[in-house]
Amino acid sequence: MNNKRRDFIKKAGVLASSATMLGAVGCNDTSKSANINKGDGKMKLTFQKYELKLKHVFTVAKNSRTTTPDMQVQIHYNGITGYGEAAMPPYYPENPESAAKFYKKLDLAQFKDPFEMEKILDYVDNLDEGNHFAKAPIDIALHDLVGKLMGHPWYRIWGYDRTKAPHTSFTIGIDEPNVVQLKTKEAAPYQVLKVKLGGGNDKEMIENVRAISPEKELYVDVNGGWKDKHEALDMVHWLEDQNVSFVEQPMPKKQVDDIAWLTENSPLPIVADESIHRIPDVLAAKGIYNGINIKLMKATGMRQDHIMITLAKSFDMKILMGCMTATSCSISAAAQLSPAIDWADLDGNLLISNDPYEGVLVKKGKLIIPDRPGIGIKKI
Ligand code: MG
């Protein structure tokens, strides 16, 4: 290792010691005037553990929490920095420590041209099995970097019309009636709410939302919380009368036959979430579900999600794009794909109180993709 690189790593290590110093590793992001020939022509990776602070205690079918572990990643190249992120909720097997272990094995300096995205991301993907969440921020940061080098946001590079970005739902977690009602009041600017069910008080949850918001369109996410297909169908019929648009992951993903039966008999679309990670899962979901919920963290990033959207469309399946609680970094990356989807649940940045970025905005519930290059974020 040469002295220059050792010096850089030493400095990066000092910076990485505090997430509050996140901004310090950023470089000049005025990419439209960037000269890509400046610098040493090597890509360098830095990363920091971050803790997302949730505005409310968040409860889904399996657990409750007030914080979410998160990993922030940067790829530096010739004075330009691409940003990426992995939110790592505790119900998934990865965590910032496993991600850091994975990053220590990566050698991005071997690549001289960030535009060789396929080659670089294949290398990252093949380096180790699994580590999907850890791989996603590398993919996102590389997209951000390449978009900045080109001077264009990814929605433009992919040829999407950003005015076609959908409204996002706002998530109401399982909670006590007064908290559910408070959250529903807070969600007044949003036209669609996504209500978490599967906690044994489903009708009460919906009734508390309806006490505040009688008409609003609802999505529901059961997180695999129902076990009996006949009870599930009864519940779906009841939900249909409550102006619910679709039901996400009604039963555990292993109950494939029960889910297929429910989909066949359901008056509402049944959408896969826990069953969907990467491209082959879209093939497996065909005929079992009506739609899929894609997420950057599950799919290893923007490259795979872009393909999954195309594939699902070819099967005439609906596409919901979801997220974890996260900063505007990964939410803005996801938003670049949003003009191509049917439903958006991209509210993860709205659920935290310590977002270090500004990126995609939400106006009267609609996603507004900024006209900045890359994934469209800037530091606050
Ligand atoms: Mg879900």
Side-chain angles (χ1 to χ4, degrees):
M1 187 185 295
N2 65 37
N3 287 340
K4 199 175 166 190
R5 179 159 166 71
R6 192 179 296 120
D7 259 12
F8 176 83
I9 290 169
K10 199 174 163 190
K11 281 176 193 162
V14 171
L15 294 172
S17 66
S18 169
T20 59
M21 297 180 75
L22 191 61
V25 293
C27 298
N28 177 9
D29 287 342
T30 53
S31 57
K32 282 194 175 173
S33 60
N35 178 352
I36 63 170
N37 294 317
K38 280 184 185 169
D40 63 3
K42 286 183 180 172
M43 283 190 284
K44 293 165 187 166
L45 178 72
T46 51
F47 55 90
Q48 306 84 33
K49 186 177 170 182
Y50 195 65
E51 187 175 76
L52 306 171
K53 298 188 190 321
L54 309 186
K55 288 179 183 170
H56 295 281
V57 176
F58 193 73
T59 304
V60 294
K62 297 182 187 77
N63 63 61
S64 298
R65 63 183 196 274
T66 55
T67 61
T68 298
D70 186 86
M71 184 62 105
Q72 296 282 326
V73 167
Q74 303 83 36
I75 299 176
H76 310 274
Y77 177 80
N78 286 358
I80 309 290
T81 302
Y83 295 91
E85 171 191 29
M88 298 178 140
Y91 48 85
Y92 286 96
E94 293 177 60
N95 52 53
E97 288 70 33
S98 66
K101 206 172 157 189
F102 180 74
Y103 297 150
K104 283 172 188 164
K105 293 182 198 170
L106 281 179
D107 174 23
L108 294 186
Q110 66 180 293
F111 299 103
K112 304 290 182 268
D113 182 1
F115 284 81
E116 292 185 328
M117 300 179 77
E118 292 292 314
K119 194 200 244 180
I120 298 165
L121 295 175
D122 280 348
Y123 157 75
V124 173
D125 204 13
N126 293 328
L127 192 66
D128 227 338
E129 284 194 355
N131 290 293
H132 294 178
F133 282 58
K135 290 169 182 172
I138 306 291
D139 168 292
I140 296 167
L142 186 60
H143 277 81
D144 192 34
L145 175 66
V146 169
K148 284 172 173 170
L149 290 168
M150 295 173 81
H152 293 290
W154 273 92
Y155 78 82
R156 287 204 70 205
I157 297 167
W158 282 322
Y160 298 144
D161 175 355
R162 72 172 167 157
T163 66
K164 297 283 193 292
H167 287 73
T168 182
S169 57
F170 185 89
T171 299
I172 310 285
I174 297 169
D175 222 314
E176 297 300 317
N178 59 327
V179 180
V180 171
Q181 294 197 14
L182 177 68
K183 283 196 244 184
T184 307
K185 278 180 194 160
E186 282 182 8
Y190 299 91
Q191 295 186 9
V192 188
L193 303 178
K194 178 163 155 178
V195 185
K196 292 284 189 179
L197 300 183
N201 61 341
D202 294 345
K203 288 190 178 176
E204 187 192 334
M205 279 293 298
I206 298 292
E207 283 161 1
N208 279 308
V209 171
R210 284 290 177 236
I212 303 299
S213 180
E215 303 291 338
K216 208 170 266 188
E217 181 183 5
L218 303 181
Y219 306 155
V220 301
D221 184 0
V222 189
N223 287 110
W226 298 340
K227 302 294 182 285
D228 181 273
K229 66 179 183 182
H230 297 287
E231 286 177 18
L233 185 59
D234 287 346
M235 194 64 201
V236 173
H237 279 290
W238 185 82
L239 291 169
E240 185 192 17
D241 295 336
Q242 305 293 319
N243 192 22
V244 168
S245 297
F246 64 80
V247 177
E248 185 178 328
Q249 201 66 51
M251 288 180 275
K253 62 182 181 182
K254 286 180 183 167
Q255 289 181 227
V256 176
D257 292 342
D258 291 339
I259 294 168
W261 178 88
L262 182 64
T263 298
E264 200 174 331
N265 292 285
S266 170
L268 297 178
I270 303 294
V271 176
D273 182 6
E274 282 83 345
S275 304
I276 300 291
H277 290 84
R278 302 186 68 178
I279 294 165
D281 301 319
V282 184
L283 293 167
K286 186 174 178 277
I288 310 294
Y289 296 90
N290 302 112
I292 57 168
N293 183 352
I294 58 170
K295 294 176 187 170
L296 293 175
M297 301 303 131
K298 296 193 299 181
T300 70
M302 298 165 76
R303 178 172 73 145
Q304 288 251 336
D305 269 357
H306 185 226
I307 296 166
M308 290 165 81
I309 287 171
T310 307
L311 190 59
K313 278 179 186 287
S314 76
F315 295 153
D316 204 21
M317 294 176 83
K318 295 281 189 185
I319 302 150
L320 163 68
M321 191 158 194
C323 62
M324 313 295 169
T325 45
T327 73
S328 286
C329 178
S330 61
I331 304 299
S332 301
Q336 300 294 323
L337 289 154
S338 67
I341 63 173
D342 299 285
W343 303 304
D345 176 29
L346 296 175
D347 64 344
N349 55 335
L350 309 173
L351 305 176
I352 65 167
S353 59
N354 60 340
D355 191 344
Y357 303 104
E358 182 186 309
V360 61
L361 300 175
V362 176
K363 286 192 181 158
K364 293 182 180 171
K366 183 175 167 60
L367 293 167
I368 309 293
I369 307 173
D371 199 15
R372 293 187 201 104
I375 60 171
I377 58 167
K378 66 174 184 182
K379 292 269 182 66
I380 294 175

